[in-house]
Every structure is written in structure tokens, then in C-alpha cells.
């Protein structure tokens, strides 16, 4: 199985989820400006939509769209799906909200030349969505005691919020720290060069 990704992009959620699921996977970076992969392949031949994520399954099938990729990973690892009879539906509901109401709201921040006005409007809209989540957030994860693939996706959008100076409610700042400290999350961040070390600072060896 191979995940096509871009550094720090929404595909980071899939990398986290794949590690949390304990699945064996390789990763290939895509340059989103040239649409070429790090091995020199034309990414559009793999995903004609030209954007990440794209997950190539062991039988060669290719899954695209972050909601679908995360749902597929959750399908392999039921521990990453919320408990209860409506667990799978609640998960889809959360993934759709993060994707369409939050992730897509960041567009002006990823669009070169977007105006300050557009970015300020986007930041206000995203903050409103985060406030909605913060009022309903479980403890310590989105759905309570169980980490799910929705946490991986929300975490990535909170990273972007920090990066672009979008205001985050205090409850979500604490939640962000909680997720960032998870072992598989640290591994994923380190693999993309977004932190220096996968181990928590307290146990990091020196010298
Ligand atoms: N609808 C897609 C959108 C994915 C998406 O926005 N990917 C971004 C990175 S976070 C990307 O590859 N952007 C480059 C582009 O759209 O050209 C999904 O939900 O998976």
C-alpha cells in the first residue's frame, strides 16, 4: 500500500491514521506545483484530480478524497471508529464537517495572491466552525475516550490554524496538544520533517 502525500497537507491525517491502525504502508511525496512525485512519476497519471491524498491499495485500487481514504483506513481498524450503533455514521458526519466546513475554509491561505480581506473572512469563518466543535468536543478526543480518524483530520486543520494565525478556542488548543503528544502522531510529524524527533522530549536521548 502506498500513500501519495504532500508535506503538512491534509494527507498528514491519513499518514497518522495509517500508523494508528498499524498498517504497513510506504509514502511517496508529491510536489503540488509540478504534480510530479519524488520518484519522477507524473502524479496526474495516478490521481487525475492532481491533489493529495491518494492511497494505492495492495490490489492496485486507488482511493482518493480524504473522507474516503480515512473511512477506508477506519474500516481496516475498528478501534479508530467511534463506539455505538451509529459509530460509522457519526464518523462520516465528523469527517464531512472537517472536510467541507473547515479544511475547505482554508483555501485563501493556500491560494497565492489571495487578498488580506479574503484571508480575514476565511479566518473568521473557520474560527466559528472551531467554536462549534469546541462546544461539543469529547474528552480527551473528539468522540470521548477513543481516538478516531476524525481526530487525525481535525488535528491537521488545527496545525494549519496555528501556522496561519487563525484563532482557536482554548479547549481546542489543549486538544491539539493532546493529539500532538501521541506516539503515532509524533512519528508521522517526524516523517514529514515537521518536528525533529518522534520521541517526546522527556525521553529523548542526548548526545
Ligand atoms: N477534495 C479533496 C481535496 C484535497 C486537497 O485539498 N488537497 C490539497 C492538499 S491539503 C492539495 O493537494 N491541493 C493541491 C491542489 O488542489 O492543486 C479531498 O478532500 O481529498
Amino acid at each position: 500500500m502506498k500513500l501519495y502525500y504532500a508535506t503538512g497537507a491534509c494527507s498528514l491525517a491519513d499518514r497518522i491514521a495509517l500508523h494508528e491502525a498499524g498498517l504497513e504502508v510506504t509514502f511517496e511525496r508529491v510536489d503540488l506545483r509540478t504534480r510530479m512525485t519524488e520518484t519522477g512519476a507524473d502524479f496526474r497519471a495516478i490521481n487525475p484530480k492532481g491533489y493529495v491524498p491518494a492511497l494505492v491499495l495492495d490490489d492496485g485500487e486507488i482511493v482518493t478524497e480524504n473522507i474516503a481514504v480515512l473511512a477506508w483506513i477506519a474500516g481496516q481498524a475498528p478501534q479508530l471508529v467511534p463506539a455505538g450503533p451509529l459509530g460509522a455514521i457519526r464518523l462520516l458526519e465528523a469527517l464531512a464537517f472537517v472536510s467541507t466546513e473547515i479544511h475547505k475554509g482554508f483555501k485563501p491561505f493556500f491560494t497565492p495572491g489571495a487578498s488580506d480581506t479574503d484571508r480575514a473572512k476565511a479566518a473568521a469563518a473557520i474560527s466559528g466552525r472551531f467554536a462549534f466543535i469546541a462546544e461539543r468536543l469529547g474528552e480527551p478526543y473528539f468522540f470521548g475516550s477513543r481516538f478516531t480518524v476524525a481526530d487525525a483530520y481535525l488535528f491537521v486543520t488545527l496545525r494549519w490554524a496555528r501556522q496561519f494565525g487563525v484563532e482557536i478556542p482554548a479547549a481546542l488548543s489543549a486538544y491539539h496538544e493532546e493529539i500532538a503528544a501521541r506516539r503515532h502522531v509524533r512519528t508521522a510529524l517526524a516523517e514529514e520533517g515537521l518536528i525533529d524527533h518522534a520521541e517526546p522530549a522527556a525521553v529523548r536521548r542526548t548526545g
Side-chain angles (χ1 to χ4, degrees):
M1 189 164 38
K2 183 188 279 188
L3 177 71
Y4 286 90
Y5 76 99
T7 306
C10 50
S11 45
L12 175 60
D14 308 290
R15 183 191 289 266
I16 291 169
L18 286 160
H19 285 320
E20 293 277 357
L23 296 172
E24 235 175 80
V25 57
T26 58
F27 301 97
E28 186 155 341
R29 190 169 48 75
V30 178
D31 182 332
L32 292 175
R33 284 164 308 154
T34 61
R35 316 276 166 191
M36 299 299 285
T37 78
E38 62 185 313
T39 64
D42 178 357
F43 180 57
R44 278 161 304 195
I46 296 149
N47 178 11
K49 295 180 224 173
Y51 49 66
V52 294
L55 183 66
V56 183
L57 306 183
D58 288 340
D59 63 2
E61 290 278 349
I62 301 177
V63 182
T64 63
E65 299 300 323
N66 216 6
I67 295 175
V69 175
L70 289 168
W72 184 88
I73 297 166
Q76 310 303 302
Q79 72 274 18
L80 299 178
V81 178
L86 274 183
I89 293 301
R90 293 292 174 225
L91 184 63
L92 271 184
E93 198 174 28
L95 292 176
F97 187 78
V98 175
S99 173
T100 63
E101 303 296 336
I102 299 179
H103 172 175
K104 281 294 140 188
F106 278 92
K107 197 170 173 126
F109 293 101
F110 293 118
T111 306
S115 70
D116 288 348
T117 311
D118 283 350
R119 288 184 180 165
K121 271 192 207 153
I126 295 165
S127 290
R129 300 305 191 199
F130 280 146
F132 179 87
I133 288 186
E135 282 164 23
R136 292 158 181 81
L137 197 63
E139 176 75 36
Y141 303 118
F142 195 106
F143 287 106
S145 59
R146 188 183 290 196
F147 178 94
T148 72
V149 297
D151 292 294
Y153 201 1
L154 181 58
F155 170 75
V156 170
T157 65
L158 288 168
R159 274 196 81 252
W160 295 343
R162 287 225 170 139
Q163 184 181 337
F164 298 121
V166 174
E167 209 178 307
I168 304 172
L172 277 182
S173 284
Y175 165 89
H176 181 253
E177 299 304 327
E178 179 80 31
I179 306 287
R182 286 179 70 83
R183 182 164 61 93
H184 293 304
V185 175
R186 291 187 64 82
T187 300
L189 290 169
E191 284 173 352
E192 295 200 6
L194 299 168
I195 57 171
D196 285 343
H197 298 275
E199 315 93 66
V203 298
R204 200 182 293 155
R205 267 181 286 146
T206 54

